[in-house]
């Protein structure tokens, strides 16, 4: 049994449209708004005085650029923590998604965050080189490492082990996984375009709308990947059990 794309889309969206998904959406939108405002503040302060009034950076914070820079870094770290928490929260049994336990945010989070940062650096470098050399290797690597953070957040794997684990889970289902990720990317891009259109009328409203849409769509995407991860993890566990039984027999 390979990855079932329809099940991943349908069940994954349902996972995102729960109480758990709603809380994750709210947190994602909140931190991304703060992050965007912080980045705008840094860039605005770097511009000449006559250019600081541009509407492009109107959504900013009334704080010094140095403080905004620190806040932006904190926002990035919080985003990583939130993604790890989302992998744990959205892979739970559907009946459990009406609540969001504190443990998804606290259990070994320091170790998980460090592992995720290390693994993402390796993945980013590898995928970038793959795209530079030829597009196909970059896509292949990106698909193969789709479950790195799931391996870290759910299975408590370390950075290097999470790369191996994601590679193993994707093995045999890379084309289907690529198709699933492509559907997510196309759908997200199409809906996110609403914010870009609004920016033509009002840059600030457009930026805020884009952040809200991105926050909602990100959590739905996490839910879809969570369901795909569970499918492949359960299949891998079944294969391992069958192999053990065969050897024992």
């Amino acid at each position: 049994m390979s990855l079932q794309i329809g099940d991943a889309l349908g069940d994954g969206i349902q996972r995102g449209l729960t109480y758990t998904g709603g809380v994750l959406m709210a947190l994602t939108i909140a931190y991304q708004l703060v992050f965007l405002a912080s980045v705008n503040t840094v860039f605005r302060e770097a511009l000449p005085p006559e250019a600081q009034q541009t509407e492009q950076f109107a959504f900013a914070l009334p704080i010094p650029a140095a403080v905004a820079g620190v806040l932006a870094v904190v926002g990035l770290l919080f985003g990583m923590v939130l993604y790890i928490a989302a992998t744990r929260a959205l892979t739970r049994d559907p009946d459990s998604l009406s609540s969001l336990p504190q443990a998804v945010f606290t259990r070994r989070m320091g170790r998980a965050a460090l592992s995720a940062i290390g693994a993402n650096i390796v993945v980013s470098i590898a995928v970038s080189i793959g795209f530079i050399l030829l597009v196909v290797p970059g896509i292949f690597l990106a698909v193969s490492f789709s479950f790195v953070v799931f391996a870290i957040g759910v299975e408590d794997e370390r950075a290097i082990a999470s790369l191996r684990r994601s590679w193993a889970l994707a093995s045999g289902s890379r084309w289907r996984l690529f198709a699933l990720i492509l559907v997510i990317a196309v759908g997200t891009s199409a809906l996110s375009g609403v914010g870009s259109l609004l920016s033509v009328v009002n840059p600030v409203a457009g930026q805020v709308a884009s952040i809200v849409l991105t926050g909602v769509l990100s959590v739905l995407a996490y839910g879809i990947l969570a369901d795909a991860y569970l499918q492949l993890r359960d299949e891998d566990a079944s294969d391992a059990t069958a192999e053990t039984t065969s050897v024992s027999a």
Side-chain angles (χ1 to χ4, degrees):
M1 176 182 174
S2 57
L3 174 64
Q4 301 301 304
I5 296 176
D7 290 345
L9 288 170
D11 295 343
I13 290 174
Q14 288 183 13
R15 288 176 180 275
L17 297 176
T18 58
Y19 172 81
T20 289
V23 173
L24 292 173
M25 287 176 189
L27 291 173
T28 300
I29 292 169
Y31 107 78
Q32 288 186 349
L33 285 173
V34 173
F35 176 73
L36 175 62
S38 301
V39 171
N40 282 349
T41 301
V42 173
F43 278 99
R44 186 186 64 182
E45 293 300 318
L47 294 173
E50 62 274 10
Q52 290 184 4
Q53 302 305 316
T54 177
E55 290 186 340
Q56 182 180 357
F57 301 112
F59 185 65
L61 300 172
I63 58 177
V67 177
V70 172
L71 195 57
V73 173
V74 172
L76 282 176
L77 294 176
F78 180 77
M80 178 61 70
V81 169
L82 189 57
Y83 187 17
I84 294 169
T87 65
R88 294 170 174 175
L90 293 173
T91 50
R92 293 178 298 151
D93 186 89
D95 294 335
S96 302
L97 298 180
S98 58
S99 64
L100 186 59
Q102 183 180 358
V104 301
F105 292 97
T106 58
R107 181 173 61 82
R108 295 184 176 181
M109 184 54 75
R111 165 182 153 171
L114 289 174
S115 296
I117 292 171
N120 279 325
I121 290 174
V122 174
V123 171
S124 296
I125 294 173
V127 172
S128 297
I129 293 174
F131 274 106
I132 291 172
L133 295 178
L134 194 63
V135 174
V136 174
I139 295 175
F140 178 83
L141 291 172
V143 170
S144 298
F145 295 133
S146 299
F147 300 119
V148 164
V149 179
F150 283 87
I152 291 170
V154 180
E155 302 181 23
D156 291 329
E157 296 283 12
R158 295 280 192 168
I160 300 303
S162 71
L163 300 175
R164 291 196 294 264
R165 177 59 170 159
S166 180
W167 188 281
L169 288 171
S171 180
S173 296
R174 287 189 176 89
W175 280 113
R176 286 178 173 268
L177 188 54
F178 169 69
L180 179 63
I181 293 173
L182 186 61
V183 170
I184 294 173
V186 171
T188 300
S189 298
L191 293 175
S192 295
V194 175
S196 299
L197 291 175
L198 187 56
S199 294
V200 177
V201 180
N202 187 312
V204 174
Q207 288 181 340
V208 173
S210 293
I211 289 295
V212 172
L213 284 171
T214 299
V216 172
L217 295 172
S218 293
V219 174
L220 294 179
Y222 295 164
I224 293 170
L225 286 177
D227 195 84
Y229 161 78
L230 290 172
Q231 286 188 43
L232 296 175
R233 186 191 68 176
D234 292 345
E235 180 182 357
D236 183 67
S238 297
D239 290 344
T241 300
E243 183 178 346
T244 300
T245 302
S246 176
V247 171
S248 299

